[in-house]
Amino acid sequence: MNTRHLVDPDFLPLIDVLPDNAFTREALPAIRIESEGRFAFVGAPPIAPEVKVIEGEGGPLEVYWYDPAPGAKDRPALLHVHGGGMVIGSARSMQQAPSGMAAALGIPVASVEYRLAPEHPFPAPQQDCYAALTWLAASAGELGIDSARIGITGESAGGGLAAATALMARDLGGPALAAQFLTYPMLDHRTGSEACPYGNPVTGEFVWTRAHNRFGWECLRGEYAADDPRKGWFSPSLAEDLAGLPPTWIGTGSLDLFLDEDLDYARRLVKAGVPVELHSYPGAIHAFNAMAEAATAKAFTRDLLGAMARMLRV
C-alpha cells in the first residue's frame, strides 16, 4: 500500500533524501560508512564530549560524557543509547541528540558506544548498555550526579535497548532508574515477520521498513532461541511481566513501523501499574524528528524535553 499521501508534507524531504538501502551482511560495511558520513555533516554538537573508558563485559567500553557544568553537584543525569537498527550507528558519530539534551536541560548526558550486531549479537549490546548504567550510578559522586535521578533514553534500536536495560536493572537488582524515555523504540522482534501480531497496512513504508527490521533482528538474535528468562532483554515486547519498571515516556509516529508495538507496550505498562505518558504524532514516519524545524518535530522535542525535566526533577 502506498502511504505517501498520509505523510506530513514537512517530512517528505526525509523520504527523498535518505537512501533506500537493501540491508545484507555483505552490504553492511558500506552502509555503515555511508551512515557515518551522513552524520559528519550535521555540525559540531552544542557541548563537546569527554570520552570516558569503562569496563564492559566485552572489554573496555567508551562512554561519551556531555557535561554542561563540570564541577556541579547533585544533578539528575541521562544515559543515552543511539539508534541504528542494532547494526549501524555509533555514539562517536551521533552526538547531536545527547549533546542537545544536555544543553537544553542543563544536565549531564552519557552516551554509550555499545557493540553492534551481527559481529556482537545478543546479549552483547544489552550488556554494554547495562555496564554503562551501573558505571553511571557507581560514579555518581565523582560525576556530580544524584544516583536517585538517573533516566535512560534512546531512539529506535536505542529505545529498544533502553527498555531492555530497564528490564535488566529490575531483574538483576541493579541501579533504580527514575524514568525511561523511549523514542519510537524497537521492541518486538516479530514486527514485519510472518509472526507479526499487528498487521498494520499503513505503517513502515519509509525509512525503516519490514525488510530492514527482519534483518536487524536476525543479526541481533544470532543463535539465541528467545526461550529463556532473558527473552525480554532481547525483545522487550516478550517480557511477561512489566511491573516494577520506571515511569515511562513513549513517543512514536503514526506511520512508523514501530507504532503498534509501542502502543501495545504502553498499554501493558499501564496495566502493570507503571505511570506512562504516550504520544503518537500524526503523519510522522520513522526518524521524523530529524526534520527538526517541522512543526510536529518541534512538538515532539517540546514534549520529550518537558517530560525529562518533570520526571527527573531538573
Side-chain angles (χ1 to χ4, degrees), residues 2-302:
N2 188 310
T3 59
R4 188 180 178 99
H5 66 288
L6 300 176
V7 177
D8 184 322
D10 284 343
F11 303 133
L12 290 176
L14 187 63
I15 296 173
D16 298 330
V17 75
L18 288 179
D20 185 17
N21 289 316
F23 277 77
T24 65
R25 295 190 182 223
E26 294 72 25
L28 190 56
I31 292 172
R32 285 174 173 166
I33 292 171
E34 185 274 333
S35 67
E36 294 280 312
R38 204 162 56 239
F39 286 107
F41 292 98
V42 173
I47 297 174
E50 176 187 353
V51 181
K52 297 180 178 290
V53 179
I54 69 171
E55 282 302 313
E57 291 277 349
L61 184 65
E62 289 186 342
V63 175
Y64 285 68
W65 177 249
Y66 302 89
D67 193 340
K73 302 295 183 184
D74 194 33
R75 303 167 293 172
L78 279 166
L79 174 62
H80 175 264
V81 189
H82 72 78
M86 308 292 180
V87 294
I88 64 174
S90 67
R92 179 188 60 81
S93 66
M94 302 169 79
Q95 297 187 16
Q96 285 293 330
S99 181
M101 292 172 187
L105 295 167
I107 66 172
V109 178
S111 186
V112 55
E113 192 72 275
Y114 62 87
R115 291 169 289 172
L116 297 176
E119 296 88 345
H120 304 284
F122 176 82
Q126 288 84 346
Q127 288 173 336
D128 291 348
C129 295
Y130 185 69
L133 174 62
T134 56
W135 166 79
L136 193 58
S139 306
E142 172 190 344
L143 297 172
I145 64 174
D146 178 0
S147 61
R149 289 190 290 160
I150 295 174
I152 191 166
T153 187
E155 308 84 30
S156 193
L161 290 170
T165 303
L167 285 162
M168 293 174 74
R170 181 200 66 180
D171 296 344
L172 297 174
L177 284 163
Q180 59 179 341
F181 306 93
L182 312 178
T183 297
Y184 36 78
M186 181 177 175
L187 301 169
D188 195 333
H189 77 108
R190 300 167 297 181
T191 296
S193 73
E194 291 183 358
C196 180
Y198 311 113
N200 190 331
V202 301
T203 59
E205 182 179 358
F206 304 111
V207 183
W208 189 254
T209 68
R210 285 162 175 77
H212 294 150
N213 208 48
R214 290 192 296 270
F215 178 79
W217 281 112
E218 174 194 326
C219 289
L220 180 67
R221 186 166 185 165
E223 300 300 317
Y224 179 56
D227 61 354
D228 65 27
R230 300 177 301 162
K231 63 186 179 182
W233 303 357
F234 165 66
S235 178
S237 289
L238 300 185
E240 295 176 3
D241 179 14
L242 301 184
L245 289 172
T248 301
W249 185 95
I250 297 177
T252 190
S254 67
L255 302 177
D256 194 308
L257 178 64
F258 301 143
L259 171 71
D260 293 280
E261 64 193 71
D262 294 348
L263 297 181
D264 183 65
Y265 200 68
R267 179 191 61 79
R268 292 182 57 217
L269 284 166
V270 170
K271 191 174 180 180
V274 177
V276 175
E277 180 176 341
L278 172 67
H279 296 262
S280 174
Y281 296 93
I285 58 177
H286 195 68
F288 70 94
N289 53 311
M291 305 296 292
E293 294 306 308
T296 299
K298 288 181 177 180
F300 158 83
T301 300
R302 179 196 65 223

